[in-house]
Amino acid sequence: MGQLTRGSAAKKPLDVVPSHNADIILPKQAGKVPLASQAVIVIGSSTGGTEALRTLLTALPVSMPPILITQHMPEMFTHSFATRLNTLCKLTVKEAEDNERLQNGTVYIAPGHSHLLVKPAPTIGYAIGLHAGPPVNRHRPSVDVLFRSAANLVGKNCIGVILTGMGRDGASGMLELKQAGAWNIAQDEASCVVFGMPKEAIAMGGAHEVLALESIATRLSVLATQKQQQAGGSA
């Protein structure tokens, strides 16, 4: 009996988490015009991202459009991470809440239990969407989900940024952003802790610019001003 148990245990297959793409959360809606005249910035990061985000966000002025961030992080840490950044930044930084309207000068951090999305506000403009669906690229929250939602709704009024991280989450979504008319920045290899996610995004052709981390804030400020002017100001 003991031999049977030992033999069957040895042959038991490993549980492999399926690697879904963003289709399992929301469909790609290519070719749509922006839903509202509001600029939005979306950022994805993973390994090394907490310090990269601190460097980036503390260098940004308060006059920025809404910034949505998916950082791969367990849910017990996302609230405290947002609270810490809020004490360091000129911008207001908070953990994202479902259905709250996007406001200029505010950074929304994805909670660790849900995908973060841009969705239509009840009247006009954009709001936060949280989706507790399956992991995408084995992550929840997933950068690809955030980027796809922004490509679908914000399009040419969006700026995408992909920072240090392991794997490929965000690469497909960044290409979708580019195809929708957004302008995209990838962090360069020299300033990354792990040059995984940016490398994949660059290889897929989704990045317009590859910049050192220390240069991204200044460039992002200029691009945000341009996007806000092109979009006709804030909603």
Side-chain angles (χ1 to χ4, degrees), residues 9-185:
K11 295 178 181 178
K12 184 179 178 181
L14 294 173
D15 291 329
V16 178
V17 178
S19 184
H20 300 294
N21 64 25
D23 293 340
I24 200 167
I25 304 298
L26 75 167
K28 181 180 178 181
Q29 297 175 312
K32 291 184 65 177
V33 297
L35 179 67
S37 59
Q38 183 178 29
V40 176
I41 297 170
V42 290
I43 300 175
S45 54
S46 188
T47 311
T50 55
E51 282 305 300
L53 288 168
R54 181 191 60 78
T55 298
L56 172 58
L57 295 176
T58 54
L60 291 173
V62 73
S63 58
M64 297 297 289
I67 301 173
L68 281 68
I69 297 175
T70 289
Q71 160 71 35
H72 297 158
M73 180 181 287
E75 62 181 289
M76 66 282 292
F77 298 121
T78 48
H79 179 77
S80 59
F81 177 56
T83 301
R84 175 174 173 265
L85 284 176
N86 189 54
T87 66
L88 301 173
C89 298
K90 302 178 186 73
L91 296 155
T92 298
V93 185
K94 66 187 302 294
E95 189 177 47
E97 299 177 63
D98 198 30
N99 296 318
E100 63 180 318
R101 186 185 176 96
L102 297 190
Q103 302 288 341
N104 288 344
T106 304
V107 179
Y108 304 89
I109 305 290
H113 55 69
S114 297
H115 297 295
L116 176 63
L117 300 86
V118 182
K119 71 178 186 180
T123 52
I124 190 170
Y126 303 111
I128 292 293
L130 297 181
H131 194 300
V136 170
N137 300 320
R138 300 194 173 94
H139 293 287
R140 186 180 63 213
S142 163
V143 181
D144 266 345
V145 172
L146 172 61
F147 283 6
R148 173 171 289 186
S149 71
N152 284 351
L153 295 179
V154 188
K156 66 180 182 179
N157 295 336
C158 189
I159 303 167
V161 181
I162 195 158
L163 301 176
T164 176
M166 188 178 298
R168 57 183 175 84
D169 189 31
S172 295
M174 178 159 272
L175 181 59
E176 291 176 16
L177 280 170
K178 185 177 184 180
Q179 291 167 343
W183 190 268
N184 297 328
I185 298 171

